Every structure is written in C-alpha cells, then in structure tokens.
Amino acid sequence: MRWLVITLAVIFIVLQYKLWFDDGGVRQVHNLRQQISTQKIQNAELQKQNDRLRAEVKDLKQGSDAPEEKARTELGMVKQNEEYFQVVQEKPNKS
C-alpha cells in the first residue's frame, strides 16, 4: 500500500510539473493568449487600412474626380490653360 501511495505521489508531481512548466502547459497557454490578443489588434489595424485602400480603389475606378485629384496632389499636374503658383515662405532670420 505504501508503494502505491508513493507511486501515485510521483505521478502527481510529474503531471503537475508538465502542467505548469513543460511545453503545452499553463505558461505556454498564457503566452499564446497574449500573442493572440496582440495579433487581433494588428489584424484590426490592417483591416482598417485595407478598407481605406479598397474605398480608394473603388473611387478611382468609378469616380471621375478621384484620378484628377490624385494627379494634382501627388504628381503636381495642371490642366491646360491653368496657371500654377507656388508660395514659398521665407524663414525668419535668427540673429
């Protein structure tokens, strides 16, 4: 009977060790949950970015004003018979 109790105690200790410290134990589960929450935040940010890009692509494909606006702002294009003025501000002299 004494050997049975000792054997059961050893098995219990080994199982507890595996539960708390071994691969697949509580520590790894906690780390994986943290990684999941971090990944969900990153996924949400990327989803927002994807939604913005989809809306921009849709606007570029369907709208007529979007390509013109993009060409003007990003490429500096000007329509025929338009004049382009660039205002340059002087930096104040530091004396």
Side-chain angles (χ1 to χ4, degrees):
M1 184 71 167
R2 182 176 174 149
W3 288 102
L4 179 63
V5 172
I6 293 173
T7 306
L8 290 175
V10 169
I11 291 173
F12 180 74
I13 291 171
V14 168
L15 290 175
Q16 286 296 312
Y17 174 81
K18 286 187 175 194
L19 175 67
W20 293 101
F21 302 109
D22 207 12
D23 290 338
V26 174
R27 200 179 278 176
Q28 186 179 12
V29 170
H30 178 70
N31 289 338
L32 289 173
R33 284 185 179 156
Q34 285 181 333
Q35 289 176 6
I36 288 171
S37 65
T38 303
Q39 190 64 49
K40 283 182 180 180
I41 292 169
Q42 289 176 351
N43 288 350
E45 291 171 2
L46 291 173
Q47 185 64 43
K48 288 178 187 176
Q49 183 180 3
N50 285 345
D51 292 341
R52 283 191 303 268
L53 290 173
R54 278 191 196 99
E56 185 176 345
V57 167
K58 182 180 176 184
D59 194 29
L60 287 171
K61 284 183 177 179
Q62 293 177 353
S64 61
D65 295 335
E68 181 181 336
E69 177 186 343
K70 200 149 190 73
R72 287 176 176 270
T73 57
E74 293 181 9
L75 302 174
M77 297 186 83
V78 182
K79 285 184 179 179
Q80 193 172 11
N81 298 325
E82 277 188 338
E83 293 183 25
Y84 176 74
F85 295 96
Q86 182 175 6
V87 179
V88 180
Q89 296 179 349
E90 280 189 37
K91 294 181 181 179
N93 292 334
K94 292 183 179 181
S95 298

XYZ file of all heavy atoms in Angstrom:
787
model
N 0.825 -1.192 0.000
C 0.000 0.000 0.000
C 0.868 1.255 0.000
O 0.520 2.238 -0.642
C -0.907 -0.057 1.236
C -1.865 1.065 1.306
S -3.090 0.824 0.035
C -4.291 1.951 0.500
N 1.971 1.171 0.718
C 2.865 2.322 0.792
C 3.464 2.628 -0.581
O 3.607 3.793 -0.951
C 3.958 2.041 1.821
C 4.884 3.201 1.999
C 5.881 2.932 3.071
N 6.812 4.031 3.091
C 7.426 4.462 4.137
N 7.210 3.871 5.284
N 8.251 5.467 4.069
N 3.800 1.601 -1.357
C 4.364 1.803 -2.694
C 3.332 2.434 -3.626
O 3.682 3.241 -4.490
C 4.865 0.478 -3.273
C 6.106 0.010 -2.585
C 6.217 -0.960 -1.644
C 7.400 0.549 -2.770
N 7.488 -1.090 -1.222
C 8.261 -0.150 -1.910
C 7.943 1.551 -3.558
C 9.618 0.115 -1.817
C 9.290 1.807 -3.475
C 10.115 1.106 -2.622
N 2.115 2.083 -3.449
C 1.053 2.654 -4.267
C 0.917 4.155 -4.018
O 0.805 4.944 -4.957
C -0.269 1.936 -3.994
C -1.483 2.458 -4.765
C -1.291 2.267 -6.261
C -2.740 1.771 -4.288
N 0.961 4.561 -2.758
C 0.863 5.975 -2.405
C 2.068 6.732 -2.955
O 1.932 7.832 -3.518
C 0.740 6.143 -0.872
C 0.828 7.608 -0.482
C -0.555 5.535 -0.373
N 3.266 6.165 -2.819
C 4.483 6.812 -3.319
C 4.419 6.929 -4.841
O 4.736 7.977 -5.417
C 5.744 6.045 -2.860
C 5.898 6.165 -1.349
C 6.978 6.548 -3.577
C 7.005 5.304 -0.780
N 3.989 5.876 -5.509
C 3.875 5.896 -6.975
C 2.862 6.946 -7.427
O 3.128 7.715 -8.356
C 3.456 4.513 -7.495
O 4.359 3.530 -7.010
C 3.413 4.491 -9.016
N 1.726 6.997 -6.759
C 0.711 7.993 -7.101
C 1.222 9.412 -6.835
O 0.948 10.341 -7.612
C -0.582 7.732 -6.343
C -1.369 6.489 -6.776
C -2.569 6.287 -5.863
C -1.792 6.597 -8.221
N 1.967 9.609 -5.761
C 2.531 10.923 -5.453
C 3.542 11.336 -6.519
O 3.565 12.494 -6.964
C 3.181 10.910 -4.077
N 4.385 10.417 -6.956
C 5.367 10.718 -8.002
C 4.652 11.056 -9.305
O 5.014 12.025 -10.000
C 6.351 9.539 -8.180
C 7.194 9.713 -9.432
C 7.228 9.385 -6.952
N 3.642 10.296 -9.667
C 2.876 10.575 -10.888
C 2.211 11.943 -10.791
O 2.220 12.725 -11.739
C 1.840 9.458 -11.140
C 2.543 8.164 -11.525
C 0.846 9.872 -12.227
C 1.620 6.967 -11.625
N 1.661 12.235 -9.622
C 1.027 13.538 -9.405
C 2.032 14.667 -9.577
O 1.754 15.678 -10.232
C 0.388 13.592 -8.010
C -0.267 14.892 -7.711
C -1.479 15.225 -8.292
C 0.338 15.800 -6.850
C -2.087 16.427 -8.013
C -0.261 17.006 -6.570
C -1.474 17.326 -7.146
N 3.224 14.518 -9.017
C 4.265 15.558 -9.129
C 4.708 15.723 -10.582
O 4.865 16.844 -11.069
C 5.453 15.223 -8.205
C 5.019 15.368 -6.745
C 6.653 16.100 -8.499
C 6.023 14.858 -5.741
N 4.894 14.618 -11.283
C 5.304 14.684 -12.693
C 4.219 15.380 -13.521
O 4.524 16.230 -14.375
C 5.607 13.272 -13.240
C 5.756 13.286 -14.753
C 6.854 12.709 -12.590
N 2.977 15.053 -13.280
C 1.882 15.681 -14.020
C 1.777 17.177 -13.707
O 1.512 17.984 -14.596
C 0.562 14.974 -13.730
C 0.417 13.566 -14.319
C -0.889 12.936 -13.861
C 0.505 13.602 -15.834
N 1.973 17.531 -12.447
C 1.964 18.941 -12.070
C 3.103 19.697 -12.755
O 2.927 20.817 -13.226
C 2.050 19.106 -10.550
C 0.780 18.777 -9.824
C -0.335 19.731 -10.194
O -0.165 20.933 -10.201
N -1.491 19.170 -10.516
N 4.274 19.077 -12.820
C 5.411 19.702 -13.489
C 5.079 19.944 -14.963
O 5.304 21.028 -15.488
C 6.669 18.836 -13.365
C 7.821 19.383 -14.166
C 8.595 20.423 -13.669
C 8.120 18.881 -15.425
C 9.639 20.947 -14.406
C 9.164 19.400 -16.172
C 9.928 20.429 -15.658
O 10.952 20.951 -16.399
N 4.533 18.927 -15.610
C 4.175 19.067 -17.016
C 3.106 20.134 -17.204
O 3.131 20.885 -18.182
C 3.710 17.733 -17.591
C 4.839 16.758 -17.815
C 4.355 15.532 -18.539
C 5.547 14.650 -18.856
N 5.224 13.623 -19.836
N 2.173 20.203 -16.289
C 1.100 21.180 -16.395
C 1.633 22.605 -16.294
O 1.241 23.483 -17.046
C 0.048 20.939 -15.300
C -1.081 21.984 -15.221
C -1.941 21.898 -16.466
C -1.902 21.762 -13.975
N 2.536 22.862 -15.382
C 2.982 24.223 -15.120
C 4.231 24.631 -15.899
O 4.396 25.797 -16.222
C 3.229 24.419 -13.630
C 1.962 24.345 -12.845
C 1.508 23.285 -12.116
C 0.956 25.343 -12.754
N 0.295 23.562 -11.573
C -0.070 24.833 -11.936
C 0.820 26.620 -13.263
C -1.212 25.551 -11.635
C -0.311 27.336 -12.959
C -1.316 26.803 -12.156
N 5.136 23.725 -16.193
C 6.436 24.128 -16.735
C 6.768 23.551 -18.104
O 7.637 24.062 -18.792
C 7.553 23.745 -15.759
C 7.375 24.353 -14.398
C 7.028 23.568 -13.316
C 7.526 25.714 -14.216
C 6.859 24.126 -12.070
C 7.349 26.281 -12.972
C 7.015 25.487 -11.884
N 6.159 22.493 -18.515
C 6.527 21.827 -19.762
C 5.836 22.486 -20.952
O 4.953 23.344 -20.790
C 6.129 20.345 -19.683
C 6.987 19.457 -20.560
O 8.022 19.936 -21.049
O 6.617 18.277 -20.745
N 6.240 22.104 -22.171
C 5.580 22.596 -23.376
C 4.104 22.225 -23.344
O 3.739 21.107 -23.003
C 6.219 21.989 -24.634
C 7.618 22.530 -24.883
O 7.922 23.626 -24.376
O 8.396 21.850 -25.582
N 3.269 23.179 -23.743
C 1.836 22.930 -23.728
C 1.212 23.144 -22.366
O 0.036 22.877 -22.174
N 1.996 23.642 -21.437
C 1.479 23.873 -20.089
C 0.827 25.233 -19.953
O 0.579 25.952 -20.927
N 0.546 25.587 -18.721
C -0.147 26.833 -18.407
C 0.643 28.047 -18.890
O 0.069 28.998 -19.431
C -0.414 26.921 -16.888
C -1.000 28.265 -16.509
C -1.330 25.799 -16.451
N 1.942 28.016 -18.732
C 2.788 29.137 -19.134
C 2.683 29.380 -20.646
O 2.547 30.522 -21.093
C 4.236 28.854 -18.742
C 5.086 30.091 -18.662
C 6.501 29.738 -18.258
N 6.578 29.595 -16.806
C 7.658 29.219 -16.163
N 8.754 28.930 -16.819
N 7.666 29.141 -14.856
N 2.735 28.314 -21.417
C 2.639 28.465 -22.872
C 1.241 28.928 -23.283
O 1.100 29.742 -24.197
C 2.978 27.160 -23.581
C 3.030 27.312 -25.093
C 3.399 26.026 -25.796
O 3.416 24.964 -25.199
N 3.688 26.131 -27.075
N 0.224 28.448 -22.613
C -1.139 28.879 -22.911
C -1.274 30.382 -22.661
O -1.865 31.116 -23.469
C -2.167 28.076 -22.081
C -3.561 28.686 -22.197
C -2.180 26.626 -22.510
N -0.713 30.848 -21.557
C -0.755 32.277 -21.237
C -0.027 33.083 -22.316
O -0.542 34.121 -22.777
C -0.133 32.518 -19.862
C -0.083 33.954 -19.477
N -1.212 34.679 -19.160
C 0.961 34.820 -19.370
C -0.859 35.914 -18.875
N 0.450 36.023 -18.999
N 1.143 32.630 -22.728
C 1.901 33.329 -23.769
C 1.139 33.342 -25.094
O 1.117 34.361 -25.800
C 3.278 32.683 -23.972
C 4.207 32.935 -22.811
O 4.023 33.885 -22.051
N 5.200 32.087 -22.658
N 0.516 32.232 -25.423
C -0.252 32.175 -26.669
C -1.464 33.106 -26.623
O -1.805 33.740 -27.629
C -0.692 30.738 -26.950
C 0.419 29.779 -27.366
C -0.116 28.356 -27.458
C 1.040 30.194 -28.678
N -2.107 33.216 -25.480
C -3.239 34.142 -25.359
C -2.789 35.588 -25.547
O -3.493 36.386 -26.174
C -3.926 33.959 -24.012
C -4.775 32.719 -23.963
C -5.555 32.598 -22.688
N -6.369 31.395 -22.711
C -6.797 30.771 -21.651
N -6.505 31.228 -20.445
N -7.536 29.695 -21.757
N -1.624 35.920 -25.009
C -1.089 37.269 -25.210
C -0.784 37.509 -26.687
O -1.071 38.583 -27.223
C 0.165 37.484 -24.374
C -0.104 37.676 -22.907
C 1.179 37.911 -22.117
O 2.254 37.477 -22.511
N 1.055 38.588 -20.994
N -0.201 36.527 -27.340
C 0.108 36.664 -28.755
C -1.161 36.808 -29.589
O -1.201 37.580 -30.546
C 0.911 35.456 -29.250
C 2.329 35.405 -28.733
C 3.057 34.142 -29.175
O 2.544 33.345 -29.952
N 4.263 33.961 -28.663
N -2.192 36.083 -29.209
C -3.468 36.174 -29.923
C -4.058 37.563 -29.785
O -4.528 38.155 -30.773
C -4.455 35.098 -29.425
C -4.013 33.720 -29.909
C -5.882 35.397 -29.883
C -4.783 32.572 -29.289
N -4.042 38.117 -28.585
C -4.614 39.454 -28.401
C -3.805 40.505 -29.162
O -4.378 41.413 -29.776
C -4.709 39.811 -26.916
O -3.421 39.912 -26.353
N -2.490 40.372 -29.166
C -1.650 41.296 -29.936
C -1.945 41.165 -31.423
O -2.065 42.162 -32.139
C -0.156 41.016 -29.672
O 0.100 41.116 -28.276
C 0.730 41.981 -30.423
N -2.083 39.942 -31.898
C -2.359 39.703 -33.317
C -3.728 40.237 -33.708
O -3.904 40.761 -34.806
C -2.262 38.205 -33.634
C -2.287 37.904 -35.109
C -1.100 38.474 -35.841
O 0.032 38.294 -35.425
N -1.347 39.169 -36.919
N -4.717 40.133 -32.814
C -6.051 40.666 -33.113
C -6.004 42.179 -33.284
O -6.668 42.732 -34.169
C -7.032 40.295 -32.005
C -7.495 38.859 -32.071
C -8.511 38.553 -30.991
C -8.975 37.110 -31.078
N -9.965 36.786 -30.037
N -5.211 42.848 -32.449
C -5.069 44.303 -32.575
C -4.421 44.653 -33.907
O -4.881 45.553 -34.622
C -4.261 44.866 -31.389
C -5.059 44.728 -30.097
C -3.879 46.319 -31.622
C -4.260 45.001 -28.839
N -3.357 43.936 -34.257
C -2.685 44.180 -35.540
C -3.627 43.900 -36.715
O -3.647 44.654 -37.690
C -1.435 43.314 -35.661
C -0.310 43.726 -34.752
C 0.881 42.773 -34.836
O 0.807 41.724 -35.452
N 1.977 43.161 -34.205
N -4.393 42.832 -36.618
C -5.340 42.492 -37.681
C -6.395 43.579 -37.855
O -6.781 43.901 -38.977
C -6.002 41.151 -37.411
C -5.065 39.980 -37.613
O -3.962 40.126 -38.124
N -5.505 38.810 -37.179
N -6.872 44.131 -36.745
C -7.877 45.193 -36.817
C -7.298 46.432 -37.509
O -7.964 47.058 -38.350
C -8.374 45.547 -35.426
N -6.061 46.778 -37.185
C -5.419 47.928 -37.825
C -5.225 47.680 -39.318
O -5.474 48.563 -40.145
C -4.080 48.226 -37.158
C -4.203 48.752 -35.749
C -2.870 48.836 -35.022
O -1.819 48.520 -35.630
O -2.870 49.226 -33.849
N -4.794 46.489 -39.663
C -4.604 46.160 -41.074
C -5.932 46.106 -41.823
O -6.004 46.481 -42.995
C -3.848 44.831 -41.211
C -2.377 44.868 -40.780
C -1.786 43.457 -40.793
C -1.573 45.790 -41.662
N -6.984 45.658 -41.152
C -8.306 45.638 -41.775
C -8.774 47.052 -42.086
O -9.338 47.307 -43.157
C -9.316 44.916 -40.875
C -10.678 44.747 -41.499
C -10.636 43.863 -42.727
O -9.973 42.834 -42.742
N -11.330 44.264 -43.762
N -8.541 47.980 -41.164
C -8.900 49.378 -41.413
C -8.128 49.924 -42.611
O -8.688 50.625 -43.457
C -8.617 50.236 -40.171
C -9.565 50.013 -39.041
C -9.168 50.863 -37.848
C -9.994 50.550 -36.625
N -9.546 51.313 -35.451
N -6.850 49.609 -42.674
C -6.023 50.064 -43.789
C -6.533 49.460 -45.104
O -6.624 50.159 -46.117
C -4.567 49.676 -43.556
C -3.623 50.158 -44.628
C -2.191 49.744 -44.355
O -1.892 49.053 -43.395
N -1.293 50.164 -45.206
N -6.862 48.178 -45.087
C -7.402 47.526 -46.282
C -8.724 48.157 -46.714
O -8.964 48.349 -47.912
C -7.598 46.034 -46.038
C -6.305 45.266 -46.052
O -5.278 45.762 -46.506
N -6.335 44.048 -45.534
N -9.570 48.483 -45.752
C -10.847 49.116 -46.082
C -10.637 50.480 -46.744
O -11.321 50.820 -47.714
C -11.714 49.260 -44.831
C -12.195 47.924 -44.288
O -12.167 46.925 -45.042
O -12.581 47.873 -43.102
N -9.680 51.251 -46.213
C -9.377 52.552 -46.809
C -8.860 52.381 -48.244
O -9.254 53.109 -49.152
C -8.343 53.307 -45.975
C -8.892 53.933 -44.710
C -7.894 54.888 -44.074
N -6.623 54.253 -43.762
C -6.324 53.691 -42.591
N -7.214 53.695 -41.625
N -5.142 53.157 -42.396
N -7.978 51.402 -48.429
C -7.429 51.170 -49.770
C -8.503 50.678 -50.737
O -8.520 51.087 -51.898
C -6.268 50.171 -49.694
C -4.998 50.690 -49.019
C -3.993 49.562 -48.861
C -4.402 51.841 -49.791
N -9.388 49.811 -50.263
C -10.490 49.345 -51.119
C -11.380 50.507 -51.543
O -11.802 50.597 -52.705
C -11.329 48.298 -50.392
C -10.757 46.917 -50.438
C -11.758 45.869 -49.931
N -11.064 44.643 -49.646
C -10.669 44.238 -48.439
N -10.949 44.975 -47.377
N -10.017 43.110 -48.275
N -11.677 51.392 -50.587
C -12.510 52.554 -50.904
C -11.806 53.456 -51.913
O -12.442 53.976 -52.840
C -12.829 53.325 -49.628
N -10.512 53.629 -51.757
C -9.759 54.463 -52.693
C -9.734 53.833 -54.085
O -9.921 54.527 -55.097
C -8.330 54.662 -52.184
C -7.519 55.610 -53.028
C -6.135 55.861 -52.456
O -5.899 55.533 -51.276
O -5.289 56.371 -53.205
N -9.533 52.526 -54.167
C -9.535 51.836 -55.454
C -10.902 51.946 -56.111
O -11.014 52.224 -57.315
C -9.125 50.356 -55.286
C -9.424 49.553 -56.534
C -7.654 50.251 -54.937
N -11.952 51.749 -55.318
C -13.311 51.859 -55.854
C -13.565 53.263 -56.377
O -14.126 53.444 -57.458
C -14.324 51.504 -54.765
C -15.753 51.543 -55.231
C -16.707 51.189 -54.110
C -18.149 51.319 -54.554
N -19.077 51.066 -53.465
N -13.132 54.261 -55.630
C -13.311 55.647 -56.037
C -12.525 55.945 -57.313
O -13.002 56.643 -58.205
C -12.883 56.581 -54.909
C -13.357 57.995 -55.117
O -14.406 58.178 -55.764
O -12.678 58.927 -54.636
N -11.318 55.403 -57.405
C -10.511 55.620 -58.608
C -11.128 54.938 -59.830
O -11.047 55.455 -60.942
C -9.085 55.118 -58.392
C -8.209 55.970 -57.473
C -6.907 55.252 -57.168
C -7.941 57.328 -58.089
N -11.729 53.776 -59.629
C -12.327 53.049 -60.751
C -13.639 53.683 -61.200
O -13.916 53.756 -62.395
C -12.592 51.594 -60.366
C -11.351 50.734 -60.337
C -11.716 49.292 -60.014
C -10.503 48.405 -60.053
N -10.831 47.007 -59.729
N -14.460 54.128 -60.263
C -15.804 54.581 -60.604
C -15.903 56.099 -60.758
O -16.627 56.582 -61.605
C -16.798 54.117 -59.545
C -16.956 52.617 -59.529
C -17.886 52.155 -58.434
O -18.316 52.937 -57.601
N -18.203 50.870 -58.420
N -15.233 56.837 -59.928
C -15.371 58.283 -59.946
C -14.480 58.925 -60.991
O -13.455 58.389 -61.392
N -14.877 60.085 -61.426
C -14.058 60.806 -62.399
C -13.204 61.862 -61.713
O -12.198 62.304 -62.262
C -14.945 61.452 -63.458
O -15.825 62.371 -62.838
N -13.590 62.267 -60.525
C -12.854 63.311 -59.826
C -11.631 62.769 -59.091
O -10.642 63.476 -58.940
C -13.761 64.016 -58.809
C -14.899 64.755 -59.495
O -14.736 65.119 -60.674
O -15.942 64.957 -58.847
N -11.697 61.539 -58.655
C -10.607 60.983 -57.853
C -9.285 60.892 -58.619
O -8.246 61.296 -58.091
C -10.994 59.628 -57.285
N -9.264 60.383 -59.849
C -7.981 60.333 -60.562
C -7.388 61.724 -60.794
O -6.187 61.930 -60.678
C -8.319 59.656 -61.892
C -9.560 58.895 -61.631
C -10.302 59.677 -60.597
N -8.267 62.693 -61.091
C -7.785 64.057 -61.307
C -7.207 64.634 -60.011
O -6.142 65.243 -60.018
C -8.933 64.936 -61.806
C -8.502 66.367 -62.077
C -9.655 67.231 -62.551
O -10.638 66.690 -63.091
O -9.562 68.450 -62.367
N -7.902 64.414 -58.929
C -7.419 64.920 -57.639
C -6.075 64.288 -57.272
O -5.160 64.961 -56.814
C -8.450 64.617 -56.552
C -8.021 65.042 -55.172
C -9.011 64.593 -54.110
O -10.151 64.241 -54.442
O -8.598 64.581 -52.934
N -5.965 62.990 -57.484
C -4.719 62.284 -57.183
C -3.582 62.802 -58.054
O -2.467 62.995 -57.595
C -4.912 60.782 -57.379
C -3.923 59.936 -56.677
C -4.612 58.635 -56.314
C -3.812 57.784 -55.404
N -3.734 58.240 -54.052
N -3.859 63.021 -59.337
C -2.836 63.534 -60.246
C -2.400 64.935 -59.830
O -1.210 65.274 -59.901
C -3.366 63.552 -61.669
N -3.335 65.733 -59.384
C -2.984 67.102 -58.975
C -2.156 67.111 -57.688
O -1.153 67.801 -57.596
C -4.253 67.938 -58.769
C -4.942 68.328 -60.043
C -6.243 69.083 -59.722
N -6.888 69.562 -60.895
C -6.675 70.752 -61.447
N -5.807 71.578 -60.907
N -7.314 71.120 -62.532
N -2.586 66.347 -56.701
C -1.911 66.413 -55.404
C -0.597 65.656 -55.385
O 0.386 66.132 -54.827
C -2.824 65.864 -54.286
O -3.192 64.532 -54.610
C -4.047 66.729 -54.101
N -0.564 64.483 -55.994
C 0.628 63.658 -55.896
C 1.627 63.903 -57.027
O 2.829 63.764 -56.839
C 0.248 62.179 -55.845
C -0.491 61.819 -54.574
C -0.840 60.354 -54.501
O -0.364 59.568 -55.349
O -1.605 59.988 -53.589
N 1.122 64.257 -58.191
C 2.014 64.418 -59.342
C 2.197 65.870 -59.760
O 3.008 66.168 -60.625
C 1.481 63.602 -60.533
C 1.308 62.104 -60.278
C 0.641 61.440 -61.472
C 2.653 61.463 -59.988
N 1.416 66.770 -59.173
C 1.550 68.182 -59.495
C 1.062 68.533 -60.890
O 1.545 69.491 -61.494
N 0.134 67.773 -61.413
C -0.361 68.024 -62.765
C -1.297 69.227 -62.770
O -1.991 69.510 -61.800
C -1.057 66.787 -63.309
C -0.112 65.612 -63.445
S -0.874 64.214 -64.223
C -0.686 64.688 -65.916
N -1.321 69.921 -63.901
C -2.127 71.122 -64.071
C -2.914 70.969 -65.371
O -2.400 70.445 -66.359
C -1.218 72.367 -64.144
C -2.034 73.625 -64.283
C -0.319 72.443 -62.935
N -4.158 71.426 -65.358
C -4.972 71.380 -66.576
C -4.447 72.381 -67.592
O -3.721 73.317 -67.261
C -6.432 71.720 -66.263
C -7.210 70.641 -65.585
C -8.652 71.082 -65.444
C -9.496 70.033 -64.794
N -10.885 70.487 -64.636
N -4.861 72.165 -68.819
C -4.480 73.090 -69.882
C -5.109 74.449 -69.590
O -6.241 74.541 -69.135
C -4.963 72.547 -71.221
C -4.358 73.247 -72.397
C -4.721 72.549 -73.692
O -5.577 71.670 -73.731
N -4.058 72.926 -74.766
N -4.368 75.515 -69.836
C -4.776 76.907 -69.618
C -4.924 77.250 -68.133
O -5.576 78.228 -67.805
C -6.070 77.241 -70.372
C -5.906 77.110 -71.861
O -4.829 77.407 -72.404
N -6.943 76.656 -72.537
N -4.347 76.454 -67.250
C -4.321 76.787 -65.824
C -2.937 77.310 -65.486
O -1.940 76.945 -66.109
C -4.597 75.561 -64.951
C -6.033 75.232 -64.768
C -6.224 74.120 -63.746
O -5.303 73.338 -63.489
O -7.337 74.029 -63.213
N -2.876 78.138 -64.485
C -1.586 78.638 -64.006
C -1.351 78.062 -62.621
O -2.255 77.979 -61.796
C -1.574 80.158 -63.954
C -1.654 80.791 -65.325
C -1.564 82.304 -65.260
O -0.989 82.830 -64.293
O -2.079 82.947 -66.184
N -0.122 77.708 -62.391
C 0.266 77.096 -61.115
C 1.116 78.092 -60.351
O 2.099 78.621 -60.871
C 1.049 75.807 -61.376
C 1.578 75.146 -60.128
C 0.738 74.463 -59.271
C 2.923 75.225 -59.798
C 1.212 73.854 -58.135
C 3.412 74.624 -58.659
C 2.557 73.939 -57.826
O 3.039 73.351 -56.697
N 0.743 78.368 -59.127
C 1.506 79.277 -58.278
C 1.982 78.507 -57.055
O 1.203 77.801 -56.418
C 0.646 80.460 -57.809
C 0.207 81.356 -58.929
C -1.034 81.193 -59.524
C 1.046 82.353 -59.381
C -1.439 82.007 -60.556
C 0.651 83.186 -60.411
C -0.602 83.006 -61.011
N 3.235 78.691 -56.732
C 3.781 78.073 -55.533
C 4.245 79.192 -54.610
O 5.069 80.024 -54.993
C 4.963 77.158 -55.866
C 5.509 76.466 -54.664
C 6.614 75.465 -55.021
O 7.036 75.385 -56.158
N 7.052 74.735 -54.042
N 3.718 79.204 -53.424
C 4.057 80.234 -52.456
C 5.116 79.672 -51.529
O 4.924 78.645 -50.882
C 2.815 80.671 -51.647
C 3.180 81.718 -50.622
C 1.730 81.158 -52.586
N 6.240 80.364 -51.479
C 7.347 79.941 -50.625
C 7.492 80.964 -49.516
O 7.629 82.154 -49.770
C 8.659 79.833 -51.437
C 9.792 79.394 -50.542
C 8.480 78.895 -52.610
N 7.449 80.485 -48.292
C 7.592 81.384 -47.160
C 9.055 81.463 -46.758
O 9.750 80.450 -46.706
C 6.761 80.902 -45.980
C 5.276 80.918 -46.255
C 4.481 80.412 -45.063
O 5.029 79.877 -44.119
N 3.170 80.593 -45.112
N 9.488 82.684 -46.477
C 10.871 82.860 -46.029
C 10.986 82.450 -44.574
O 10.076 82.658 -43.778
C 11.283 84.323 -46.157
C 11.678 84.726 -47.549
C 12.288 86.118 -47.545
O 13.013 86.465 -46.599
O 12.001 86.840 -48.494
N 12.122 81.879 -44.262
C 12.378 81.548 -42.875
C 12.865 82.816 -42.171
O 13.652 83.557 -42.704
C 13.444 80.457 -42.781
C 13.005 79.132 -43.337
C 14.091 78.104 -43.188
C 13.645 76.767 -43.765
N 14.683 75.740 -43.672
N 12.395 83.044 -40.958
C 12.847 84.234 -40.241
C 14.329 84.130 -39.914
O 14.848 83.051 -39.593
C 11.994 84.252 -38.965
C 11.350 82.914 -38.888
C 11.424 82.282 -40.229
N 15.019 85.266 -40.027
C 16.455 85.285 -39.704
C 16.660 85.188 -38.211
O 16.032 85.906 -37.446
C 17.097 86.570 -40.217
C 17.132 86.619 -41.738
O 17.130 85.588 -42.376
N 17.129 87.817 -42.296
N 17.537 84.296 -37.826
C 17.873 84.165 -36.407
C 19.181 84.906 -36.168
O 20.213 84.560 -36.720
C 18.015 82.703 -36.007
C 16.708 81.952 -36.045
C 16.882 80.542 -35.576
C 15.566 79.799 -35.603
N 15.715 78.438 -35.137
N 19.103 85.944 -35.380
C 20.319 86.728 -35.108
C 20.699 86.651 -33.666
O 19.983 86.500 -32.778
C 20.107 88.198 -35.479
O 19.842 88.292 -36.858
